[in-house]
């Protein structure tokens, strides 16, 4: 290959002029010579404008003198052989154009003019791109490659965190708010509607993430490269580093989005939110009190919540150990509880619930061990205290729990215990603290054995509650 200075020398220029003349007046020379000269002049190192400059200076059209030769192109010796050498597939094309179908089937072959290896060039593009990147980093200091890898990792990680913790949750909430206005959550085909709406939301989110990720990467990569690369690095090198870092970051972000941001996240989120909307809100006990208490009146002479719980524990232990507990003691305790609930301002909802739970445990123990001490008046007063409890679901609505049923089954006088427990259930029904449906639901979920099932059947029959076996 000749350099630009040598190409401008007189000797080389004369050689080119001779070649130009041969190429222009090809009728005097064999065609193979003209083809070879044309191939030579099309090489990259030959100046493209040299041929046209020569034609303009030498009045090239005048060089073409009219010829009197009458030899046709097809009569030239060796033309067929030359064409088939230059175009090896003309023979196959000729066979395809023949009218003889038999000859076509026997001799015609269809060859791929485009090599099959060229079809794999698209698949080899990532490999070629990787090789180009390696060649670029080979020409740069090691610090440049480490900087590109570090920035790509950290920027991609930050972008993924922003997508995971900010963009996706906010978009899910926005989609849920639109869902509540567009879809009737009480309809029968709500599952199918949620599936379609989740698909549309997922497609829209992917479009949003593509734009958001592009903005984040463009903003952070350029600033990071400008701050971390040395000032001696050329601007063109910085631009290449920014491009490579952007491509690596986008690849990592796209892979994470493809594997984590799926349609299922919308379906699960919609299901949970709809369940929350359908679920009835339950009042929770208040753990704290205002600075001045729950009321402006406080009777310090009444028993505190801790004192009442100690008295209840003492009665429970005495009942379990078989020591007698009189009705006077029970009424005295119930009256003390009532006055504390009404007179003290430092008993919050949690203390009230704990006292009522312990009181119910004492009543169950007393019914099992000394049913004569639990009269109708005692049960009625207990119902009044139970009404002060703000969360009945954790109190009387678990009265048929397996633990309570086990305690009642240990009674030495089952007949009287059954009657006494029936009186308690009937009082709760009369006070509207329990309903027949809730009792039946608890009984069916009790998993009682044969003896306990008989006990429950007697209690329900005395309370006039009908159930299926």
């Amino acid at each position: 290959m000749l350099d630009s200075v040598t190409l401008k020398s007189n000797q080389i220029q004369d050689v080119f002029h001779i070649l130009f003349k041969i190429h222009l007046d090809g009728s005097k020379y064999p065609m193979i010579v003209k083809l070879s000269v044309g191939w030579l002049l099309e090489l990259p190192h030959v100046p493209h404008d040299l041929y046209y400059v020569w034609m303009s200076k030498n009045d090239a059209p005048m060089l073409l003198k009219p010829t009197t030769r009458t030899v046709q192109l097809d009569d030239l010796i060796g033309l067929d052989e030359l064409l088939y050498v230059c175009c090896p597939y003309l023979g196959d094309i000729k066979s395809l154009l023949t009218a003889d179908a038999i000859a076509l089937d026997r001799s015609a072959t269809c060859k791929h003019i485009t090599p099959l290896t060229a079809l794999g060039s698209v698949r080899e593009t990532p490999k070629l791109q990787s090789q180009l990147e390696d060649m670029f980093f080979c020409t740069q200091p090691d610090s440049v490659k480490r900087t590109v890898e570090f920035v790509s990792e950290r920027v991609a990680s930050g972008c993924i965190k922003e997508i995971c913790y900010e963009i996706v949750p906010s978009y899910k909430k926005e989609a849920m708010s639109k869902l509540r206005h567009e879809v009737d959550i009480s309809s029968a085909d709500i599952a199918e509607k949620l599936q379609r709406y989740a698909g549309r939301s997922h497609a829209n989110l992917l479009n949003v993430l593509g734009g958001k990720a592009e903005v984040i990467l463009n903003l952070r990569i350029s600033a990071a490269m400008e701050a971390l690369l040395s000032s001696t690095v050329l601007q063109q090198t910085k631009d290449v580093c920014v491009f490579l870092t952007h491509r690596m970051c986008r690849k990592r972000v796209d892979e994470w989005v493809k594997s984590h941001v799926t349609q299922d996240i919308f379906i699960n989120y919609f299901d949970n939110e709809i369940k929350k909307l359908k679920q009835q809100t339950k009042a929770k006990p208040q753990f704290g009190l205002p600075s001045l208490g729950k009321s402006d009146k406080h009777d310090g002479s009444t028993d505190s919540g801790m004192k009442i719980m100690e008295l209840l524990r003492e009665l429970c232990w005495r009942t379990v150990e078989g020591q007698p507990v009189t009705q006077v003691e029970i009424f005295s305790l119930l009256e003390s509880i009532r006055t504390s609930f009404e007179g003290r301002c430092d008993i919050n909802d949690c203390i009230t619930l704990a006292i009522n739970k312990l009181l119910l445990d004492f009543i169950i123990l007393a019914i099992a061990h000394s049913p004569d001490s639990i009269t109708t008046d005692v049960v009625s007063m207990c119902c009044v205290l139970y009404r002060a409890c703000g969360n009945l679901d954790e109190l009387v609505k678990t009265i048929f729990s397996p633990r309570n049923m086990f305690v009642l089954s240990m009674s030495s006088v089952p007949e009287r215990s059954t009657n006494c427990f029936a009186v308690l259930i009937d009082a709760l029904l009369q006070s509207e603290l329990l309903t027949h449906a809730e009792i039946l639901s608890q009984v069916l979920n009790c998993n009682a054995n044969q003896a306990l099932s008989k006990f429950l059947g007697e209690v329900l029959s005395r309370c006039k509650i009908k159930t299926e076996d």
Side-chain angles (χ1 to χ4, degrees):
M1 182 180 293
L2 301 177
D3 57 272
S4 58
V5 177
T6 307
L7 287 173
K8 294 181 180 180
S9 62
N10 295 331
Q11 295 82 356
I12 300 299
Q13 291 290 325
D14 294 339
V15 173
F16 275 119
H17 293 167
I18 296 172
L19 294 176
F20 293 156
K21 189 173 182 180
I22 293 174
H23 180 71
L24 186 63
D25 191 9
S27 60
K28 298 180 181 180
Y29 308 97
M31 182 172 289
I32 187 65
V33 176
K34 185 175 181 179
L35 292 175
S36 300
V37 172
W39 170 82
L40 176 64
L41 297 178
E42 290 181 356
L43 293 178
H45 61 274
V46 177
H48 298 290
D49 56 345
L50 187 60
Y51 177 72
Y52 300 102
V53 172
W54 174 81
M55 291 182 64
S56 62
K57 289 182 179 180
N58 295 277
D59 197 7
M62 297 300 297
L63 298 176
L64 296 176
K65 298 179 180 180
T67 180
T68 57
R69 297 176 61 181
T70 59
V71 180
Q72 301 297 327
L73 183 63
D74 293 338
D75 296 335
L76 293 177
I77 300 175
L79 178 62
D80 293 343
E81 291 78 3
L82 179 62
L83 288 176
Y84 288 129
V85 170
C86 297
C87 303
Y89 302 106
L90 287 178
D92 295 333
I93 296 175
K94 181 179 179 181
S95 300
L96 290 172
L97 295 177
T98 56
D100 190 355
I102 300 177
L104 178 64
D105 294 338
R106 288 185 298 178
S107 60
T109 57
C110 184
K111 296 183 179 180
H112 295 280
I113 298 177
T114 303
L116 292 176
T117 55
L119 300 177
S121 60
V122 178
R123 295 188 293 268
E124 295 178 357
T125 301
K127 182 179 180 181
L128 180 60
Q129 190 175 19
S130 177
Q131 293 176 352
L132 291 175
E133 292 178 6
D134 294 339
M135 291 298 297
F136 169 76
F137 287 124
C138 288
T139 60
Q140 302 296 327
D142 294 339
S143 59
V144 174
K145 183 177 181 180
R146 291 197 299 267
T147 302
V148 170
E149 293 176 349
F150 173 76
V151 173
S152 63
E153 179 183 357
R154 300 316 308 157
V155 172
S157 177
C159 182
I160 289 172
K161 287 183 179 179
E162 187 169 346
I163 291 174
C164 180
Y165 296 110
E166 295 182 11
I167 300 177
V168 173
S170 62
Y171 191 85
K172 288 195 297 184
K173 293 180 180 179
E174 181 181 353
M176 184 61 198
S177 63
K178 293 181 180 179
L179 175 66
R180 296 177 62 180
H181 293 88
E182 297 179 6
V183 179
D184 184 11
I185 61 176
S186 60
S187 59
D189 57 343
I190 183 63
E192 183 179 354
K193 292 181 179 179
L194 286 181
Q195 190 78 16
R196 293 197 301 267
Y197 192 81
R200 294 198 303 269
S201 301
H202 178 250
N204 295 334
L205 177 59
L206 293 181
N207 296 331
V208 172
L209 292 181
K212 293 282 188 180
E214 196 69 22
V215 173
I216 295 173
L217 297 182
N218 291 336
L219 180 63
R220 297 180 180 178
I221 291 175
S222 301
M225 284 298 174
E226 192 66 29
L228 295 178
L229 288 178
S230 174
S231 58
T232 59
V233 178
L234 298 177
Q235 184 61 39
Q236 292 80 357
T237 304
K238 291 182 180 179
D239 295 339
V240 175
C241 292
V242 169
F243 172 78
L244 295 178
T245 306
H246 184 279
R247 189 187 63 81
M248 296 167 66
C249 289
R250 191 57 191 264
K251 181 180 179 181
R252 293 182 179 180
V253 172
D254 291 343
E255 289 177 353
W256 185 89
V257 169
K258 184 178 180 181
S259 60
H260 291 80
V261 183
T262 60
Q263 184 176 343
D264 294 337
I265 64 174
F266 286 96
I267 297 177
N268 297 333
Y269 180 76
F270 292 158
D271 289 340
N272 294 333
E273 291 298 320
I274 290 176
K275 288 180 181 178
K276 291 180 182 179
L277 292 175
K278 292 182 178 180
Q279 186 180 10
Q280 296 180 355
T281 57
K282 299 180 180 179
K284 296 183 179 180
Q286 298 294 328
F287 290 90
L289 287 172
S291 58
L292 299 177
K294 64 181 180 180
S295 65
D296 55 352
K297 296 180 180 180
H298 178 71
D299 186 3
S301 61
T302 57
D303 294 334
S304 63
M306 183 61 66
K307 178 65 175 178
I308 293 173
M309 295 186 71
E310 290 178 356
L311 294 175
L312 283 171
R313 290 193 188 97
E314 183 181 354
L315 291 182
C316 290
W317 282 113
R318 288 172 56 186
T319 303
V320 172
E321 292 176 356
Q323 299 180 10
V325 178
T326 63
Q327 292 186 3
V328 176
E329 292 178 317
I330 296 176
F331 276 111
S332 176
L333 177 61
L334 295 178
E335 183 64 22
S336 177
I337 295 174
R338 185 188 64 79
T339 55
S340 296
F341 284 174
E342 295 177 355
R344 299 187 69 90
C345 66
D346 58 351
I347 296 181
N348 58 12
D349 294 342
C350 290
I351 298 176
T352 303
L353 178 61
I355 292 175
N356 280 322
K357 280 186 175 182
L358 195 55
L359 176 60
L360 181 60
D361 292 341
F362 167 69
I363 296 298
I364 296 296
L365 289 173
I367 291 175
H369 294 84
S370 57
D372 295 335
S373 61
I374 305 301
T375 61
T376 306
D377 296 334
V378 172
V379 172
S380 300
M381 195 168 182
C382 288
C383 291
V384 174
L385 296 176
Y386 292 156
R387 284 187 174 277
C389 182
N391 196 346
L392 293 175
D393 289 343
E394 299 184 17
L395 189 62
V396 296
K397 292 189 178 180
T398 57
I399 195 170
F400 286 92
S401 64
R403 185 194 65 171
N404 292 343
M405 296 299 99
F406 176 76
V407 172
L408 293 173
S409 64
M410 298 173 62
S411 174
S412 58
V413 283
E415 183 67 23
R416 285 185 290 176
S417 296
T418 303
N419 294 333
C420 188
F421 188 68
V423 171
L424 175 62
I425 298 300
D426 187 62
L428 294 175
L429 290 172
Q430 296 295 330
S431 302
E432 297 182 355
L433 298 175
L434 271 178
T435 62
H436 290 75
E438 292 170 348
I439 293 176
L440 292 177
S441 177
Q442 293 185 49
V443 170
L444 294 176
N445 296 328
C446 190
N447 297 326
N449 53 24
Q450 184 176 1
L452 190 55
S453 298
K454 182 179 179 181
F455 169 77
L456 291 174
E458 293 178 358
V459 171
L460 296 179
S461 62
R462 295 181 185 185
C463 294
K464 299 180 180 180
I465 300 176
K466 297 181 180 180
T467 182
E468 297 179 358
D469 294 335

